[in-house]
Amino acid sequence: MVKIQKTILSRVEGEIELKLIWEKGIIKDAFIIAPNFRGFEFILEGKPILDSLIITPRVCGICGHAHLMATVNALENLYKNAGYNIEISKKANLIRLITLSAEIVQNHLRWFYLFVFPDLLKLETYTEDLSEYIPIKGKQWQKAIDFSSKIVKVIAIFGGQWPHTSYSIPGGVVCDPTTFDITESISIVDSMIKYYEENIIGMKYENYLSIEDYKEFIEKSDKDLSKFLKLCFKHNLHKIGKAYNRFLTVSNIYPIFSQGATKRKKYNFNIKKLEEIDTYSFLTKKGIDFNGKKYSWAKAVRYEGFPYETGPLARRINNKDKLFLNLLADLKDTYIPRIWARIDEIIKLLLAMKKWLQEIDIKEPSYIKPKKNIKELEGIAYGLCEAARGSLIHKLEVKEGKIKKYDIITPSTWNLGPRCEKYLSPAEKAIIGLDNSLIAEMVLRSFDVCSVCTTH
Amino acid sequence: MKTLLWIQGLTCNGNTHSLLNAENPSFYDIFSKIKLLFHPAISSDEDLIKIIKDITQNKISLTFLVVEGSITKNKSFCRVGDFSIAEIIDQLKDKAEFIIAVGNCASFGNIPALYKENTNVVGLQYIFTEKKGLLPPNFKTKSGYPVINISGCPIHPAWFMQTILALYYEKPLILDAFNRPKEIYMYLPHDGCIRNEYFEWKEESEEFGHKEGCLFYNLGCKGPLTHAPCNKILWNRTSSKTRAGMPCLGCTEFNFPLRENYFETKKNIGIPEEVPLGVSKRAYITISGVAKSLRNERVKKKLEETD
């Protein structure tokens, strides 16, 4: 008998429903439904070009800073496409990377402790003491809130506030930091590194980074990440949640992220190979359509016709990180590598932030005014950015000083969008074949669900 | 124990994430005092639909109903299970002691209310500056307060926390003309701005990227005409937009998304179209003229080069 089960997911960003089709105790099909739609792309139409810097961060309260960076990149790309060389100082570029990284670190910490860990409390029927991880009351839960709030102070130092600053503009950044702003930021990063070492990996970061064999790490460490992984193995979670083994990263942040599309081998990313498919989306090229088989506001996005997974695991694979190549060889692209990659990324970002902070030369200009007024430009441009959840793409078309069209493809669209005629989305595929609805939810959460971005 | 239920309409989650940054009290501190019935991003075992049912059947008493996000009756654009957000509010509105709109979306519709395909996006009691939101203009909760608006895109966590705590300790709350807590919205971002010396002496920034200069005259800063204590209660307890060199966007105001060209100041024959609150255009011109004619040598220099 076929049974249909619909669940409203909590502990995700925004509203997501999971519709599962059961047959003989096995999930035969899974539909990820994003039921809310605000219409940001349409709201942007007709607005003055620079106002996009104010509006797009408000797509998402979690990774709004990444939207700001994607918009800035798109606007600077617009200058380039129109034949004007736009100059950015090294200082401005470093500050942008630092604040973007701070937001990603914030996201990963909150996601791990607020969204993911509580699932294990449900699985583990209190044979082990996990009271430190109970929402609101647990000590480790509370620390995650404290430190995720601490790292975004770095964004406040350079950008005034987090969430929702628009401090980065074509030509640079608006701030003019002092030496002491930089030393305070370094101190924040240092305290984050110490927190990470003492609470998450349970060893010095140098030792952690030298580990290439995942079993070695799990044996050597007894802190939160290792505790989590041990529980995962205990509950057989190393076999669940396999997606397509195809990984996409759209922008380079040396030395931690490298652009590329990997399916067995790594290829260069080419934006022209990307397409959006609306067969199962309410939102179509011809307007809104609620007919029968359509089930989500999100569109499907494909690269060379295939679904790709984007996000921290994709970044580790595209960066040819040994620990993760080994994890993938053993466990495939499943629940554990996907989650570990997010936690792993925190330390890589923090170390990069520290290096970048030390490289800032405050004597350089923060902002170099573009020689041409942006209102005089016309054309099409792309802004690429690696956000917390993966590859973020903004495309804009401007005419007569106004935005004519704006298109946003978020990381969640790649991972959690609907199916196309040929393929399910990576998260839908990862859920099929499971025999437990809690585990299905957990697999979905391993992609770091953000419905506000999925549909915008 | 007093209780709090957090629900979301059309939202970016920015107010939730801002609130997680709270200090004194922190997010977990406040919920040792007040029982959190449900929050979509935090709750683990609780079932929202059952909680709503229990409240309507008086099995659970509801002290604070907190709403984040714009409101719509149209289920095609926003749904919580089988309900629209408007239907949920309708079921709970007479049960809650206090209803609090967090952020500009719940207060007055904000950016989602600009979307033309869904024509009924509103705030709880307002749509932009008009009192034509979901609930009638004269609506009051059991406590006698209208919907308490904590405006801002996003809110500062302290604005929410101190409002909740004042009500928790049964302190009277004075509200302004838009039903916002007066003690928060009686300040302007201009108050406490570290660029005030430049404003006084009319040393205007010509471009971004400098510590020096006032952002009001050329770069679109709405600090002197916005209600918000951004330079009294600093963001992330660290800084503010104007301190960092970014113009105030006026994001606590009810017409925030109706404005355009946020990075420039609209002027007529050299006079800003909007002058600081409480000042006439004539007074602004006079004082600007006087300030410019009486030179302050300090504001002409880079800060590092001042005496």
Side-chain angles (χ1 to χ4, degrees):
Chain A
M1 218 187 85
V2 178
K3 195 180 95 182
I4 299 171
Q5 179 193 9
K6 250 189 185 182
T7 318
I8 317 171
L9 231 62
S10 64
R11 277 182 294 115
V12 296
E13 302 290 1
E15 187 77 14
I16 281 279
E17 282 177 8
L18 181 58
K19 183 175 149 191
L20 301 175
I21 313 295
W22 293 85
E23 212 178 300
K24 294 176 189 160
I26 301 285
I27 297 168
K28 278 284 168 206
D29 203 355
F31 297 84
I32 297 165
I33 301 167
N36 296 354
F37 186 66
R38 291 165 294 159
F40 265 83
E41 288 145 327
F42 302 99
I43 290 164
L44 281 156
E45 286 175 10
K47 291 272 184 196
I49 301 165
L50 285 180
D51 285 7
S52 56
L53 296 163
I54 308 298
I55 295 169
T56 70
R58 289 168 165 85
V59 164
C60 181
I62 311 102
C63 64
H65 207 64
H67 283 279
L68 172 69
M69 294 304 169
T71 299
V72 171
N73 292 342
L75 297 179
E76 287 174 353
N77 183 242
L78 183 70
Y79 274 99
K80 204 175 143 220
N81 291 351
Y84 297 95
N85 188 26
I86 192 156
E87 204 188 331
I88 312 292
S89 69
K90 186 185 171 199
K91 170 177 140 186
N93 200 31
L94 289 170
I95 292 173
R96 286 177 182 180
L97 291 176
I98 290 161
T99 57
L100 178 67
S101 302
E103 180 177 76
I104 299 176
V105 169
Q106 164 276 142
N107 178 80
H108 292 347
L109 277 175
R110 288 186 182 174
W111 163 82
F112 185 58
Y113 287 97
L114 274 58
F115 300 165
V116 170
F117 230 120
D119 281 327
L120 281 180
L121 303 183
K122 290 186 182 183
L123 271 191
E124 183 70 24
T125 43
Y126 303 100
T127 47
E128 286 190 44
D129 181 17
L130 296 177
S131 57
E132 289 183 324
Y133 308 101
I134 292 174
I136 300 175
K137 289 182 193 142
K139 282 249 149 26
Q140 293 306 96
W141 195 96
Q142 295 184 350
K143 266 192 212 165
I145 293 284
D146 291 343
F147 281 91
S148 62
S149 304
K150 190 168 189 181
I151 190 66
V152 292
K153 286 177 193 274
V154 174
I155 307 180
I157 288 170
F158 293 104
Q161 70 182 68
W162 185 90
H164 292 349
T165 172
S166 301
Y167 89 104
S168 188
I169 55 175
V173 292
V174 300
C175 61
D176 180 12
T178 62
T179 305
F180 296 165
D181 290 331
I182 291 163
T183 51
E184 186 179 356
S185 302
I186 292 173
S187 305
I188 291 172
V189 173
D190 279 339
S191 76
M192 296 294 299
I193 293 172
K194 189 161 174 268
Y195 159 74
Y196 186 88
E197 288 178 334
E198 289 175 0
N199 293 269
I200 297 178
I201 52 173
M203 59 181 71
K204 288 278 164 206
Y205 73 81
E206 295 93 335
N207 298 337
Y208 170 75
L209 293 176
S210 70
I211 292 175
E212 291 178 7
D213 171 15
Y214 67 91
K215 288 177 190 147
E216 185 191 333
F217 169 72
I218 297 170
E219 274 165 33
K220 280 187 181 166
S221 166
D222 60 353
K223 292 297 177 191
D224 294 357
L225 174 59
S226 174
K227 253 190 218 176
F228 177 87
L229 295 169
K230 281 174 187 137
L231 285 167
C232 285
F233 278 102
K234 180 177 161 189
H235 292 284
N236 275 322
L237 302 181
H238 56 292
K239 292 173 181 164
I240 60 157
K242 191 180 159 6
Y244 287 103
N245 203 24
R246 288 197 203 97
F247 303 103
L248 187 88
T249 306
V250 297
S251 77
N252 285 311
I253 300 183
Y254 182 79
I256 42 177
F257 300 162
S258 84
Q259 191 187 55
T262 298
K263 46 169 188 175
R264 277 187 230 108
K265 269 177 74 179
K266 187 178 163 187
Y267 301 88
N268 289 333
F269 169 73
N270 178 352
I271 193 117
K272 292 195 178 110
K273 293 180 175 175
L274 181 155
E275 64 175 326
E276 287 184 288
I277 301 167
D278 57 26
T279 318
Y280 290 88
S281 170
F282 302 142
L283 196 60
T284 75
K285 285 183 194 82
K286 291 175 195 154
I288 293 166
D289 180 356
F290 295 111
N291 96 55
K293 68 177 176 181
K294 293 171 177 291
Y295 63 93
S296 181
W297 277 105
K299 285 182 266 186
V301 51
R302 298 291 179 260
Y303 185 76
E304 290 185 307
F306 294 108
Y308 271 74
E309 176 171 345
T310 182
L313 179 59
R315 293 196 278 250
R316 298 280 55 83
I317 299 304
N318 281 324
N319 222 37
K320 300 193 169 148
D321 188 299
K322 286 231 172 69
L323 171 66
F324 283 87
L325 291 175
N326 288 336
L327 263 168
L328 206 70
D330 256 29
L331 304 181
K332 309 285 187 293
D333 51 331
T334 52
Y335 185 75
I336 288 176
R338 198 173 290 127
I339 287 185
W340 194 339
R342 290 181 150 80
I343 302 304
D344 177 87
E345 196 166 272
I346 295 172
I347 188 64
K348 285 167 182 154
L349 288 164
L350 288 172
L351 293 171
M353 281 174 78
K354 192 169 170 179
K355 182 170 162 280
W356 294 329
L357 281 162
Q358 283 162 333
E359 281 174 20
I360 293 176
D361 175 1
I362 56 166
K363 291 196 194 76
E364 284 183 18
S366 295
Y367 171 73
I368 302 164
K369 195 175 179 173
K371 289 185 183 73
K372 185 97 177 159
N373 188 332
I374 199 160
K375 290 174 184 170
E376 294 166 28
L377 302 181
E378 292 202 343
I380 291 174
Y382 288 95
L384 309 176
C385 178
E386 284 300 315
R389 295 173 182 78
S391 304
L392 173 64
I393 298 165
H394 284 205
K395 180 187 176 190
L396 93 164
E397 192 180 338
V398 302
K399 216 175 172 183
E400 290 163 0
K402 305 273 185 194
I403 296 164
K404 196 177 167 219
K405 218 168 164 23
Y406 210 105
D407 190 24
I408 299 172
I409 299 173
T410 64
S412 298
T413 319
W414 285 101
N415 293 336
L416 315 164
R419 58 206 58 196
C420 61
E421 269 109 350
K422 280 189 182 160
Y423 300 102
L424 304 174
S425 66
E428 286 179 340
K429 177 170 190 302
I431 288 169
I432 287 174
L434 298 172
D435 59 1
N436 175 313
S437 58
L438 172 61
I439 304 275
E441 281 186 30
M442 289 171 67
V443 168
L444 186 48
R445 284 196 190 92
S446 74
F447 287 91
D448 195 353
V449 178
C450 179
S451 78
V452 300
C453 269
T454 313
T455 56
H456 40 277
Chain B
M1 201 175 188
K2 290 186 164 63
T3 59
L4 187 147
L5 174 65
W6 188 293
I7 53 174
Q8 290 177 327
L10 288 163
T11 178
C12 76
N13 276 16
N15 299 298
T16 288
H17 278 274
S18 191
L19 189 60
L20 290 172
N21 296 336
E23 295 174 30
N24 311 318
S26 70
F27 186 84
Y28 47 83
D29 287 334
I30 191 99
F31 292 118
S32 61
K33 278 195 171 74
I34 296 168
K35 184 177 162 56
L36 177 63
L37 296 173
F38 184 85
H39 185 297
I42 308 297
S43 294
S44 186
D45 297 315
E46 299 81 356
D47 176 356
L48 174 63
I49 305 302
K50 188 177 177 302
I51 290 168
I52 293 169
K53 211 172 151 191
D54 286 350
I55 294 168
T56 55
Q57 293 174 353
N58 299 320
K59 288 182 194 160
I60 300 176
S61 70
L62 179 59
T63 319
F64 301 104
L65 174 64
V66 181
V67 183
E68 175 179 19
S70 316
I71 312 303
T72 175
K73 290 177 182 169
N74 192 336
K75 276 189 223 175
S76 299
F77 290 91
C78 182
R79 209 152 47 71
V80 182
D82 294 327
F83 297 102
S84 74
I85 184 72
E87 284 169 333
I88 293 178
I89 291 160
D90 197 52
Q91 288 187 50
L92 299 175
K93 67 179 193 304
D94 297 322
K95 299 288 175 187
E97 291 284 328
F98 306 98
I99 299 181
I100 296 169
V102 282
N104 269 19
C105 288
S107 295
F108 63 83
N110 204 22
I111 294 172
L114 299 176
Y115 181 42
K116 293 188 180 81
E117 289 285 335
N118 183 6
T119 50
N120 80 355
V121 180
V122 293
L124 279 173
Q125 221 162 357
Y126 285 82
I127 169 71
F128 299 119
T129 50
E130 289 183 289
K131 232 176 171 180
K132 289 181 183 168
L134 177 77
L135 300 168
N138 56 355
F139 170 81
K140 289 193 164 68
T141 53
K142 279 158 82 179
S143 58
Y145 285 100
V147 172
I148 297 165
N149 290 316
I150 304 180
S151 65
C153 189
I155 57 155
H156 187 296
W159 307 345
F160 176 80
M161 288 299 190
Q162 304 320 326
T163 302
I164 289 280
L165 278 177
L167 296 171
Y168 175 86
Y169 290 117
E170 294 172 7
K171 304 277 182 202
L173 212 60
I174 311 164
L175 301 181
D176 72 2
F178 287 106
N179 294 339
R180 300 178 290 196
K182 190 72 188 170
E183 288 190 30
I184 297 169
Y185 297 93
M186 64 189 179
Y187 296 99
L188 312 176
H190 187 58
D191 303 333
C193 178
I194 54 173
R195 292 166 189 268
N196 261 339
E197 195 181 6
Y198 301 99
F199 180 84
E200 283 167 23
W201 295 95
K202 296 288 164 277
E203 186 62 31
E204 322 288 3
S205 293
E206 301 285 334
E207 61 172 46
F208 292 107
H210 302 286
K211 284 187 282 295
E212 301 81 7
C214 174
L215 308 166
F216 170 71
Y217 187 75
N218 290 316
L219 301 181
C221 184
K222 304 280 190 297
L225 40 107
T226 296
H227 299 88
C230 295
N231 278 306
K232 176 177 187 274
I233 309 171
L234 296 180
W235 281 85
N236 310 87
R237 300 288 178 174
T238 298
S239 191
S240 70
K241 287 206 273 302
T242 63
R243 287 187 181 203
M246 190 190 148
C248 164
L249 306 171
C251 80
T252 52
E253 293 303 346
F254 281 48
N255 57 357
F256 160 58
L258 302 177
R259 286 182 159 142
E260 288 192 337
N261 294 308
Y262 296 89
F263 293 103
E264 56 190 84
T265 307
K266 221 177 185 182
K267 281 176 276 200
N268 280 328
I269 8 168
I271 306 157
E273 224 167 60
E274 294 178 281
V275 290
L277 282 176
V279 177
S280 70
K281 275 197 181 156
R282 213 176 122 204
Y284 176 80
I285 298 162
T286 309
I287 200 130
S288 301
V290 172
K292 279 191 175 169
S293 63
L294 300 171
R295 220 173 135 83
N296 176 341
E297 292 304 330
R298 185 181 145 83
V299 299
K300 301 279 172 200
K301 294 176 182 165
K302 289 289 287 175
L303 271 168
E304 290 87 345
E305 290 155 10
T306 52
D307 298 325

